[in-house]
Structure formats: structure tokens, C-alpha cells
Amino acid sequence: LEALLEGIEDLTLDIPAAASLLSHFVADAYLDGVLPFSILGEWPGAYQDKPVAAEVLRQALERLDGRTPLGGSQVEQKQKVRAQLRPVVEEYLQSKDVGEVRRRMAELRVPEDTQCELVRVGIEIGLERKDHERELVSQLLSAAYANPIRPEEVSKGFEALLARVHDLAIDNPQAPSH
């Protein structure tokens, strides 16, 4: 990617859309975990004397808006992760596609120490649903065990649920037995 950024000025002479395409590749490289976010923070300064390269990086960061590493306290981070994962689980209940859940977790860049939130969100959603959907959540958690959710994160997710079982029982009296 650095070599392409170095030569992007010349590439755009032959391929006018090269800058836009490269910005897309740079953003995807970050989302796929190939390119660390720290590099994206360093590159703009290195390419400020190359306007097309600087524009590529600006467009890449614009594409990543809202998908960069989470800021704030750990409680705020977990709340953000839960809010992001809820639609992922809802979509899974429709599609039954575990691969899509894995891809979305990678795309959302869910930090390893907050992956327990998939367990929590999945089971909380399952408690609101019928037996069939609870079974689907169970299948999702089994499939996600170790990839992408580390075993210790699965444990943390269940511990968080057990700590809240009385609160969950207020809305759903069957929560403890489920």
C-alpha cells in the first residue's frame, strides 16, 4: 500500500479512478485486520507533500468514520459494543449465517476484551424470543466459540448474565430457567 501511495500521482494519469479505488483498498485493509489503525494515523503526515496520496488517506478515513477503535471508559465501550452487536444478532436470527456474524464482528473491530458482549446480547435477545430463536442463539455461540470469541470471553459473558439474572427476570419471569 505504501508503494501505491508513493506512485499514486503517476497512476492517476493513466487510471483516473485510482485514488478512489486505493482509498477503498486502504479502508478494507484496516477492516480486514491487515492494516493497523496506528498506521492510518501516521501516514497523512508522511504524504502531506503528495496531494493525491493525502486525498486517498482522507477518503479512506472518511470511509472508516464510526468504525475506528472505540474510545471512552470500559463501561462506555461495552455499551457501544452492545449497541453495535444487537443488529448483528437480529440479522443472524433471520439469515442463520454464522460467517456473516464473524465478518461483522471483524468489521466492527470488536476489541477482544469486549467480545463477551456477543454472548450477553445474544442470550438477552434469545430470552425475548421463542424456543426456536433461543436454539439459534445457542448454535451461534457454539459456532463462535474460540473463533471469534475466546473461551474466557464466553465465560465473562455468562458471568455478566448471571449477575443480572434478577433484572432480566423482571421483564421475563422465565429468564432464570431459560
Side-chain angles (χ1 to χ4, degrees):
L1 290 173
E2 284 181 294
L4 287 169
L5 283 169
E6 287 290 333
I8 194 69
E9 310 281 335
D10 293 334
L11 275 173
T12 55
L13 296 174
D14 296 328
I15 308 166
S20 176
L21 294 170
L22 183 56
S23 71
H24 187 87
F25 288 131
V26 169
D28 282 352
Y30 167 74
L31 291 173
D32 292 339
V34 175
L35 187 66
F37 187 74
S38 60
I39 295 285
L40 290 177
E42 295 169 10
W43 277 354
Y47 294 102
Q48 61 190 18
D49 62 328
K50 297 182 182 261
V52 178
E55 178 62 15
V56 166
L57 296 170
R58 187 197 64 72
Q59 287 179 16
L61 289 170
E62 189 176 284
R63 288 178 191 270
L64 293 170
D65 187 37
R67 298 181 180 189
T68 55
L70 300 171
S73 72
Q74 189 165 4
V75 171
E76 290 170 331
Q77 285 183 4
K78 286 187 177 192
Q79 289 172 340
K80 288 178 186 177
V81 168
R82 275 195 300 275
Q84 291 173 329
L85 289 177
R86 190 166 186 82
V88 172
V89 174
E90 298 279 356
E91 183 180 320
Y92 164 77
L93 291 174
Q94 298 297 315
S95 70
K96 301 165 190 73
D97 186 355
V98 175
E100 179 66 11
V101 173
R102 285 187 179 112
R103 188 189 69 72
R104 293 277 295 145
M105 284 187 70
E107 182 180 284
L108 293 170
R109 306 293 289 173
V110 175
E112 285 188 6
D113 64 336
T114 58
Q115 291 177 347
C116 60
E117 296 304 316
L118 180 66
V119 175
R120 182 175 170 181
V121 168
I123 292 174
E124 286 177 357
I125 289 173
L127 290 173
E128 301 166 359
R129 304 295 181 89
K130 296 192 182 307
D131 289 341
H132 174 70
E133 283 114 344
R134 282 193 287 278
E135 177 60 29
L136 287 173
V137 169
S138 177
Q139 291 173 12
L140 170 64
L141 296 178
S142 293
Y145 183 80
N147 178 21
I149 306 173
R150 298 180 331 210
E152 55 272 15
E153 288 298 307
V154 172
S155 296
K156 283 176 31 181
F158 278 104
E159 289 169 4
L161 283 166
L162 289 173
R164 297 192 61 242
V165 73
H166 295 295
D167 293 336
L168 295 170
I170 292 170
D171 294 330
N172 183 348
Q174 296 298 317
S177 64
H178 287 306

